[in-house]
């Protein structure tokens, strides 16, 4: 599978960030704890420690916190890798300008703190 990342800024966390993923379509609502491996203005790569009923193109909502700043964004599952006891997912997030400004500021602060 080929993934072309054209985003100018993608931040990979040294320690995954805890978050929640909620499937937002149909009557089959699924909410699960996840770990965010990397994030950008329009996407994220996440790890789900349990196998749940998710599939590509499903509508989701991702929530997480960085440096005491809360983030929430709707999105879509772009790709999915299923392992025996876990899942890894690629998400496309439908973000607005406010989200982009906040995430960029928080990621720059995290990168700055990491180098000090």
């Amino acid at each position: 599978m080929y993934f072309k990342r054209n985003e100018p800024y993608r931040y990979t966390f040294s320690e995954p960030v805890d978050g929640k993923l909620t499937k937002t379509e149909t009557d089959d609502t699924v909410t699960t704890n996840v770990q965010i491996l990397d994030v950008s203005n329009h996407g994220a790569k996440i790890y789900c420690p349990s196998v749940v009923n998710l599939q590509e193109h499903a509508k989701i909502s991702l929530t997480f916190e960085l440096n005491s700043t809360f983030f929430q964004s709707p999105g879509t599952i772009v790709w999915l890798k299923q392992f025996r006891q876990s899942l890894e997912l690629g998400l496309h997030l439908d973000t607005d300008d406010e989200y982009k400004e906040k995430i960029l500021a928080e990621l720059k602060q995290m990168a700055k703190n990491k180098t000090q």
Side-chain angles (χ1 to χ4, degrees):
M1 202 178 288
Y2 177 73
F3 300 106
K4 189 173 184 180
R5 293 185 173 174
N6 291 326
E7 299 203 60
Y9 195 81
R10 176 170 292 274
Y11 187 87
T12 301
F13 299 106
S14 56
E15 292 290 324
V17 173
D18 293 331
K20 285 202 181 293
L21 179 78
T22 304
K23 181 178 169 184
T24 58
E25 57 184 22
T26 67
D27 295 333
D28 182 26
T29 301
V30 175
T31 299
T32 186
N33 292 325
V34 296
Q35 295 178 321
I36 300 160
L37 305 174
D38 71 29
V39 71
S40 68
N41 283 339
H42 294 289
K45 179 179 174 182
I46 64 171
Y47 171 78
C48 182
S50 59
V51 177
V52 292
N53 183 23
L54 296 170
Q55 58 275 350
E56 288 183 22
H57 310 293
K59 300 293 182 194
I60 54 90
S61 176
L62 179 66
T63 57
F64 60 98
E65 189 176 327
L66 295 177
N67 300 330
S68 301
T69 302
F70 181 75
F71 292 91
Q72 180 174 7
S73 178
T76 307
I77 297 173
V78 178
W79 57 264
L80 177 91
K81 289 183 189 175
Q82 186 166 349
F83 301 101
R84 187 176 297 241
Q85 301 275 333
S86 64
L87 296 170
E88 197 170 278
L89 303 114
L91 306 177
H92 172 77
L93 301 176
D94 301 321
T95 58
D96 59 11
D97 289 338
E98 179 184 355
Y99 176 96
K100 292 174 193 174
E101 289 174 15
K102 283 181 14 181
I103 194 82
L104 187 58
E106 294 304 323
L107 293 175
K108 282 182 179 181
Q109 185 63 41
M110 289 179 74
K112 182 179 176 182
N113 291 343
K114 188 176 176 180
T115 61
Q116 293 178 351

